[in-house]
């Protein structure tokens, strides 16, 4: 299994994840460098960096024009699309439009992307059986397309329940023990895990 860790400028503390390649998204490259992690590549328009700071980035750089159709996060995800898992740190902070854009990238184009920060995790669950541990207290599921969902080991269990795209009653569930089983028989779901109160 291969993984990439994408670090945006909004990240304060770069997480240590073994056997992953670190990719700097725009000024996030300096966060990786300054915190002593090996950096494989940097990508973005780097409009927020001075020339002096830009010269500190010595890894391979994919620089794009400021006026472009893609966000810097999208460019980084596209660069890493062949990894099994892409962890995007700092993709749920700051501007709400960028947060929505990142979630939509995971939902509709790059389903190997996991948006993650100190308190939350967002991933896509496709047809199959998935195991969830108790790392997060609140767990919600939102259909990306109409689907059939079963939840075992949850406070609010489901058994082959058909969930329509407009329904949100699968918000704010939790585990009853250390692990839970999620079975998707049809469709795909956005799984949002959170430790916010």
């Amino acid at each position: 299994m291969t993984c990439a860790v994408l670090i945006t400028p909004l990240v304060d503390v770069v997480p240590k994840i073994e056997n992953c390649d670190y990719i700097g998204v725009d000024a996030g490259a300096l966060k990786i460098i300054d915190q002593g992690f090996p950096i494989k590549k940097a990508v973005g328009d780097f409009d927020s960096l001075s020339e002096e700071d830009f010269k500190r980035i010595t890894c391979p750089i994919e620089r794009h024009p400021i006026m472009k159709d893609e966000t810097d996060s999208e460019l980084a995800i596209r660069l890493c699309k062949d990894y099994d898992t892409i962890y995007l740190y700092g993709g749920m902070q700051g501007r709400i439009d960028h947060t929505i854009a990142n979630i939509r990238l995971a939902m509709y184009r790059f389903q190997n992307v996991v948006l993650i920060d100190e308190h939350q995790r967002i991933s896509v669950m496709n047809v199959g059986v998935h195991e969830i541990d108790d790392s997060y207290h609140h767990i919600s599921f939102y259909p990306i397309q109409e689907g059939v969902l079963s939840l075992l080991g949850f406070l609010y269990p489901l058994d082959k329940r058909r969930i329509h795209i407009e329904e949100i009653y699968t918000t704010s569930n939790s585990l009853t023990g250390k692990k839970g089983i999620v079975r998707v028989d049809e469709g795909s779901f956005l799984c949002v895990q959170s430790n916010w109160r």
Side-chain angles (χ1 to χ4, degrees):
M1 296 285 286
T2 59
C3 72
V5 178
L6 277 51
I7 301 296
T8 75
L10 297 175
V11 172
D12 291 322
V13 178
V14 176
K16 183 177 182 179
I17 302 178
E18 299 291 341
N19 303 315
C20 287
D21 292 331
Y22 283 83
I23 311 293
V25 181
D26 201 75
L30 291 183
K31 300 287 180 92
I32 298 170
I33 293 166
D34 289 345
Q35 294 183 40
F37 290 90
I39 181 169
K40 187 174 181 71
K41 199 158 191 174
V43 61
D45 55 32
F46 302 97
D47 61 337
S48 61
L49 291 183
S50 66
E51 277 304 313
E52 183 178 323
D53 279 337
F54 181 71
K55 288 175 183 173
R56 292 176 52 212
I57 304 172
T58 57
C59 66
I61 296 170
E62 188 177 291
R63 192 169 194 177
H64 292 264
I66 295 171
M67 296 184 68
K68 58 189 183 305
D69 293 330
E70 307 88 356
T71 65
D72 288 335
S73 291
E74 180 182 355
L75 292 170
I77 292 168
R78 198 167 65 193
L79 178 72
C80 298
K81 64 182 172 51
D82 292 329
Y83 284 85
D84 295 317
T85 305
I86 302 169
Y87 295 106
L88 176 60
Y89 280 84
M92 296 183 284
Q93 299 159 285
R95 287 172 48 180
I96 190 68
D97 56 340
H98 280 261
T99 298
I100 292 170
N102 290 330
I103 293 171
R104 287 177 61 84
L105 285 170
M107 289 172 63
Y108 299 115
R109 290 178 50 202
F110 303 101
Q111 295 193 344
N112 56 339
V113 169
V114 177
L115 283 76
I116 191 166
D117 65 20
E118 186 180 352
H119 302 288
Q120 300 176 109
R121 183 183 198 272
I122 299 177
S123 61
V124 172
M125 291 187 170
N126 292 308
V127 170
V129 177
H130 311 269
E131 188 176 87
I132 291 184
D133 65 26
D134 63 349
S135 299
Y136 297 90
H137 183 68
H138 305 288
I139 307 168
S140 302
F141 299 93
Y142 301 103
I144 297 170
Q145 53 189 304
E146 183 178 315
V148 175
L149 184 68
S150 298
L151 301 175
L152 181 65
F154 283 78
L155 183 61
Y156 305 105
L158 293 176
D159 184 27
K160 294 186 178 178
R161 179 73 62 88
R162 180 165 296 279
I163 303 182
H164 300 276
I165 197 163
E166 71 276 7
E167 294 178 310
I168 61 167
Y169 67 86
T170 47
T171 299
S172 199
N173 208 333
S174 58
L175 297 179
T176 56
K178 293 290 186 186
K179 293 183 186 282
I181 300 297
V182 179
R183 191 176 74 241
V184 179
D185 288 316
E186 291 179 30
S188 59
F189 289 83
L190 200 65
C191 175
V192 181
Q193 298 167 265
S194 175
N195 279 328
W196 285 106
R197 282 185 276 161

